[in-house]
């Protein structure tokens, strides 16, 4: 074991080197959000001495890169290239950044001499974000009280399950599911009317 | 798949959550080759981000989790499309499944099938319903009472010439609340109705299903159809106005749920 490894990391990474499916499944579920966030929130890198920034705007591109990053990581685990005494996240992040740069055409143009992860991009208050917030506020104003409550507890409070929301508002999980579905349908109609879905 | 079908699946996925595994896989494969479908999908994810106020919305994560981890890159045949591992729905069974053995007497007469109580005249497919409490299992006849905490067991029969290929079993109580027995209807998964075997007598569905009944009257119905139904769509209409699917053959059993 090298000096940065520890027993907890080794335990968390158990089965990766052997290519055990349950180990891949565990890492996939644990790291999925972090990999996606690297892509859609963006990351800095250095190329020819300059600091640059890449964000993958297309959700479908990000999902493809994410899947490819995991596929490559699992392949490297099986080939013994990943040291299981080291944490997965930085290694996987590096793979993700490399694939994103290649897929988005940056490598062919810029050939980064130094691919250094210097963290995510700072929060950006863009015109688009402000416009989005204004539209969302207008949309919420059209919901009834129960829909607004579900909107707040289920959509905006990340991680709450429908059953948990149901318990809070004294309704069944099925009922929350139906309200959530109704909110999505109304949101689709509202934002479509604002030109979000070009035909 | 063409773009029109892909759009319909994206719409459904957005409204109902995760698609059934086969549809999700077909959609992924189409997205890989169609810029128009990708743009349509991207617009929906943008809306999910807006609704949830998160760059990686839970709805998108749930879809990726449902795909499961990809095969290691060195295990893929580069000449073939990269298929993702199918979504394992094991969680549903784990929640509901307690295998039960139900003894049912079936009478086979001249190639036709009849069961105790018998189906409605002319019916080509029907169900039997049983209440299970501990080791005791009893059939539920029309109007029977069932304790709130009883599990329910089902079997179905379908004649060889039954024109149906799918079925689902649900209940609606007098307050309009809807309960699903088969298929299970769980968090953010939108199942389809189940494949039906024909030419079978009293095929047991081995899950003992518990639901959070409200005491009072309820109607349990099997829905037999030629095409698979999207359960979320049936559910929404059933709760809203009590309408069972058009064109389906129903086999219904009225019960009274006691506290």
């Amino acid at each position: 074991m090298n000096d940065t490894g520890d027993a907890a990391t080794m335990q968390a990474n158990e089965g990766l080197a052997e290519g055990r499916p349950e180990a891949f499944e565990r890492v996939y579920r644990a790291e999925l959000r972090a990999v996606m966030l690297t892509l859609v929130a963006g990351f800095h890198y250095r190329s020819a001495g300059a600091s640059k920034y890449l964000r993958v705007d297309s959700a479908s591109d990000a999902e493809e890169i994410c899947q490819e990053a995991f596929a490559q990581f699992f392949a490297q685990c099986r080939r013994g290239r990943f040291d299981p005494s080291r944490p997965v996240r930085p290694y996987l992040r590096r793979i993700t950044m490399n694939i994103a740069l290649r897929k988005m055409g940056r490598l062919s143009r810029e050939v980064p001499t130094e691919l250094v992860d210097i963290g995510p991009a700072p929060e950006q208050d863009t015109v688009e974000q402000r416009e989005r917030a204004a539209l969302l506020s207008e949309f919420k104003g059209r919901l009834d009280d129960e829909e607004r409550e579900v909107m707040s507890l289920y959509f905006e409070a990340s991680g709450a399950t429908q059953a948990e929301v149901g318990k809070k508002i004294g309704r069944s999980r099925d009922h929350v599911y139906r309200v959530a579905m109704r909110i999505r349908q109304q949101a689709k109609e509202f934002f479509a009317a604002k030109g979000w879905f070009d035909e | 798949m063409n773009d029109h079908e892909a759009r319909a699946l994206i719409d459904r996925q957005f409204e109902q959550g995760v698609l059934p595994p086969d549809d999700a896989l077909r959609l992924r494969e189409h997205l890989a080759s169609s810029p128009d479908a990708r743009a349509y999908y991207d617009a929906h994810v943008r809306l999910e981000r807006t609704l949830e106020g998160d760059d990686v919305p839970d709805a998108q994560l749930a879809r990726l989790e449902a795909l499961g981890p990809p095969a290691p890159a060195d295990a893929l045949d580069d000449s073939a499309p990269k298929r993702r591992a199918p979504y394992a729905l094991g969680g549903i069974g784990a929640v509901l499944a307690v295998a039960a053995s139900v003894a049912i007497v079936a009478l086979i007469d001249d190639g036709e099938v009849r069961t105790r109580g018998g189906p409605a005249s002319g019916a080509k497919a029907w169900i039997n319903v049983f209440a299970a409490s501990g080791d005791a299992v009893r059939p539920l006849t029309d109007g029977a009472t069932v304790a709130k905490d009883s599990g329910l067991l089902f079997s179905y029969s379908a004649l060889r010439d039954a024109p149906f290929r799918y079925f689902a079993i649900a209940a609606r109580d007098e307050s309009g609340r809807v309960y699903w027995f088969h298929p299970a209807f769980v968090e953010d998964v939108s199942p389809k109705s189940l494949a039906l075997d024909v030419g079978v007598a009293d095929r047991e569905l081995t899950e003992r299903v518990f639901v959070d009944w409200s005491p009072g009257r309820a109607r349990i119905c099997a829905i037999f159809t030629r095409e698979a139904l999207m359960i979320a769509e049936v559910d929404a209409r059933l709760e809203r106005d009590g309408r069972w699917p058009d064109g389906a053959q129903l086999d219904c059993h009225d019960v009274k749920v006691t506290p």
Side-chain angles (χ1 to χ4, degrees):
Chain A
M1 186 184 301
N2 65 42
D3 55 357
T4 59
D6 59 31
T9 306
M10 287 293 281
Q11 192 176 4
N13 295 342
E14 191 182 349
L16 284 176
E18 296 79 18
R20 292 217 293 265
E22 66 273 18
F24 288 167
E25 177 90 28
R26 190 179 64 240
V27 166
Y28 180 74
R29 291 186 186 284
E31 300 298 328
L32 189 53
R33 182 178 168 81
V35 169
M36 284 298 290
L37 207 53
T38 294
L39 296 165
V40 300
F43 58 88
H44 288 286
Y45 63 101
R46 288 199 184 97
S47 173
S51 179
K52 302 199 173 182
Y53 168 69
L54 175 67
R55 186 177 71 186
V56 181
D57 289 324
S58 156
S60 42
D61 284 345
E63 290 180 11
E64 273 190 8
I65 293 168
C66 171
Q67 290 283 308
E68 190 173 336
F70 277 105
Q72 284 204 10
F73 173 67
F74 295 150
Q76 293 189 19
C77 288
R78 292 210 313 192
R79 291 182 197 133
R81 291 187 187 166
F82 171 68
D83 175 358
S85 69
R86 290 183 174 275
V88 165
R89 188 163 297 177
Y91 193 88
L92 189 52
R93 182 172 162 84
R94 176 59 64 91
I95 293 175
T96 305
M97 289 160 62
N98 268 322
I99 295 173
L101 287 166
R102 176 164 50 80
K103 288 263 182 187
M104 306 312 286
R106 295 285 178 96
L107 284 192
S108 59
R109 289 205 304 272
E110 297 179 353
V111 194
T113 52
E114 193 184 10
L115 184 56
V116 179
D117 180 4
I118 52 176
E123 285 286 322
Q124 291 180 326
D125 183 21
T126 63
V127 172
E128 188 196 337
Q129 282 171 331
R130 286 198 294 275
E131 181 199 357
R132 201 186 289 184
L135 285 174
L136 185 62
S137 175
E138 186 185 341
F139 170 67
K140 284 198 273 191
R142 298 180 177 208
L143 300 176
D144 65 28
D145 289 346
E146 183 183 56
E147 289 164 347
R148 259 198 300 278
E149 199 169 11
V150 170
M151 177 85 195
S152 163
L153 294 171
Y154 181 62
F155 287 99
E156 295 175 335
S158 181
T161 66
Q162 290 167 351
E164 288 164 352
V165 173
K167 210 167 182 179
K168 278 185 185 166
I169 65 172
R171 302 301 298 260
S172 69
R173 187 208 65 80
D174 293 354
H175 184 78
V176 175
Y177 175 90
R178 285 185 278 270
V179 175
M181 191 162 78
R182 205 163 63 225
I183 291 171
R184 288 195 186 101
Q185 285 166 341
Q186 291 174 16
K188 176 86 178 285
E189 287 166 16
F190 175 82
F191 283 88
K194 303 290 182 185
W196 275 37
F197 297 92
D198 294 332
E199 292 303 322
Chain B
M1 179 181 292
N2 57 35
D3 277 355
H4 182 73
E5 289 174 272
R7 279 179 171 238
L9 283 180
I10 292 167
D11 288 341
R12 186 177 291 164
Q13 178 173 260
F14 174 75
E15 287 170 6
Q16 298 171 359
V18 175
L19 289 171
D22 51 343
D23 286 342
L25 191 61
R26 288 193 309 125
L27 177 60
R28 288 274 148 194
E29 288 176 351
H30 185 73
L31 287 176
S33 63
S34 167
D36 286 348
R38 286 169 85 90
Y40 194 66
Y41 176 75
D42 289 352
H44 282 79
V45 175
R46 192 160 71 114
L47 181 50
E48 287 171 343
R49 287 177 184 165
T50 302
L51 287 176
E52 295 191 23
D54 193 339
D55 279 339
V56 187
D58 288 345
Q60 187 184 26
L61 273 184
R63 286 194 294 275
L64 288 167
E65 283 187 0
L67 280 174
D74 56 358
L76 295 171
D77 173 5
D78 286 338
S79 66
K82 293 180 180 177
R83 295 178 69 89
R84 275 76 171 185
Y87 180 30
L89 290 171
I92 297 173
V95 172
L96 298 176
V98 177
S101 167
V102 185
I104 304 166
V105 178
L107 304 174
I108 302 192
D109 180 19
D110 295 329
E112 290 213 340
V113 183
R114 287 176 288 156
T115 60
R116 274 185 309 222
S121 176
K124 299 286 188 182
W126 59 92
I127 57 167
N128 281 345
V129 188
F130 302 84
S133 184
D135 292 333
V137 176
R138 66 184 170 89
L140 287 182
T141 52
D142 242 18
T145 58
V146 55
K148 184 179 184 303
D149 57 358
S150 292
L152 291 186
L153 289 157
F154 300 87
S155 69
Y156 73 82
S157 302
L159 302 184
R160 284 191 194 90
D161 62 347
F164 313 113
R165 293 295 174 267
Y166 297 91
F167 77 104
I169 304 173
R172 187 174 191 271
D173 69 18
E174 56 192 347
S175 72
R177 194 172 159 202
V178 177
Y179 309 83
W180 285 95
F181 302 103
H182 293 284
F185 192 18
V186 299
E187 189 82 28
D188 269 344
V189 174
S190 177
K192 286 182 176 175
S193 47
L194 303 171
L196 177 81
D197 288 334
V198 296
V200 298
D202 295 325
R203 169 71 57 84
E204 297 164 16
L205 303 172
T206 56
E207 290 168 349
R208 183 185 301 213
V209 185
F210 294 87
V211 294
D212 184 21
W213 286 111
S214 296
R217 297 189 182 284
R219 170 165 284 184
I220 300 170
C221 292
I223 309 163
F224 296 100
T225 54
R226 293 166 192 266
E227 304 293 334
L229 298 171
M230 293 300 299
I231 296 303
E233 291 169 6
V234 178
D235 177 84
R237 189 166 51 179
L238 199 49
E239 190 193 56
R240 193 174 56 242
D241 54 22
R243 278 178 56 212
W244 295 84
D246 299 329
Q249 182 200 290
L250 299 179
D251 179 30
C252 296
H253 301 248
D254 290 326
V255 295
K256 186 176 179 194
V257 179
T258 56

